[in-house]
Amino acid sequence: MSASAWSRVTNHANTAATSVTDERYTPGWVLDLVVSALGGIDLDPCADPQRRVQASHHFTKEDNGLEQPWKGRVFLNPPFSNSKDWIRHLSLYFASSTVTEAVVLLPVMALTNKSSRLLLREQAEGFILLERKLSFLDADYKPIGEMSSFPFALVYAGGNFHKFLSVMGDVGIPCVINKPHSQIKKMSCAYCGKPFTAVRTTRKYCGTTCRVEAFRRRTSC
């Protein structure tokens, strides 16, 4: 069964104090749900050494995903001791439309962090508060027991939230993020002229191909 990204779990009030941070890989049942919700995973930017997430591309710890470009459908299980940098990196590439969909596994307490503000307020459509306890896998891919000291959420950003809810509905409590000031607009691609639906008014191109071609045209002049 697949497993995912290293996740360095910080000290918590309900856990024994320790200075040791261990690698934690996502349980397979979560990954199966994410694959179903996204229709596949293009990138795991926090991949474990064996790249066990069913993704087309992986960035391991040695690759340092924070120094790499991201694109496509992303599953992110960030190091919990430094989730803010990973969330910001995701938000940057989602804002540029390079990342088209994303599911992020986070402790619920991280949802209120300043670093999560852009993702939650402007980009995410909603999230699932997991009712099922998580038992992460250790560096040897063995279950380490339930992480019951704090709850987790799966946050979704993209254009198919209803599918996400239909897949995830049985494992947690669905939470829809209301964006009263955001409007879905019909726009025309600045490169090919093709009409497309945009959830961000700053989006100029209908897809990655047109964005890249437009860049090449500008730089070749």
Side-chain angles (χ1 to χ4, degrees), residues 27-187:
W29 66 267
V30 173
L31 294 173
D32 290 341
L33 289 173
V34 172
V35 169
S36 296
L38 296 180
I41 300 172
D42 295 312
L43 175 65
D44 174 10
C46 297
D48 66 276
Q50 294 188 21
R51 298 173 174 85
R52 297 181 69 182
V53 173
Q54 297 177 22
S56 301
H57 298 89
H58 304 80
F59 297 142
T60 65
K61 188 175 182 179
E62 288 69 28
D63 296 322
N64 190 355
L66 291 176
E67 295 181 355
Q68 309 294 337
W70 296 7
K71 64 180 180 179
R73 298 162 296 180
V74 173
F75 170 65
L76 176 62
N77 177 5
F80 295 157
S81 60
N82 186 30
S83 62
K84 64 180 192 300
D85 290 339
W86 296 89
I87 295 173
R88 287 171 181 166
H89 202 73
L90 171 65
S91 296
L92 172 66
Y93 281 93
F94 189 84
S96 69
S97 300
T98 305
V99 170
T100 55
E101 285 186 277
V103 174
V104 188
L105 177 61
L106 289 172
V108 170
M109 59 187 176
L111 299 182
T112 58
N113 290 349
K114 184 177 180 180
S115 60
S116 302
R117 192 167 299 165
L118 175 60
L119 177 65
L120 269 294
R121 289 186 177 181
E122 301 294 336
Q123 299 172 338
E125 299 298 318
F127 54 91
I128 293 288
L129 293 176
L130 293 176
E131 295 180 300
R132 180 174 172 178
K133 301 298 184 181
L134 289 183
S135 178
F136 287 95
L137 308 182
D138 62 20
D140 295 320
Y141 302 100
K142 303 295 184 183
I144 61 174
E146 293 181 352
M147 301 292 294
S148 57
S149 56
F150 49 91
F152 286 82
L154 285 168
V155 181
Y156 175 82
N160 205 348
F161 185 54
H162 292 296
K163 180 180 179 182
F164 174 78
L165 288 182
S166 67
V167 171
M168 300 288 181
D170 292 337
V171 297
I173 302 171
C175 301
V176 179
I177 299 175
N178 183 33
K179 298 182 177 66
H181 301 298
S182 66
Q183 295 181 348
I184 297 177
K185 295 186 176 182
K186 291 288 186 180
M187 303 182 70

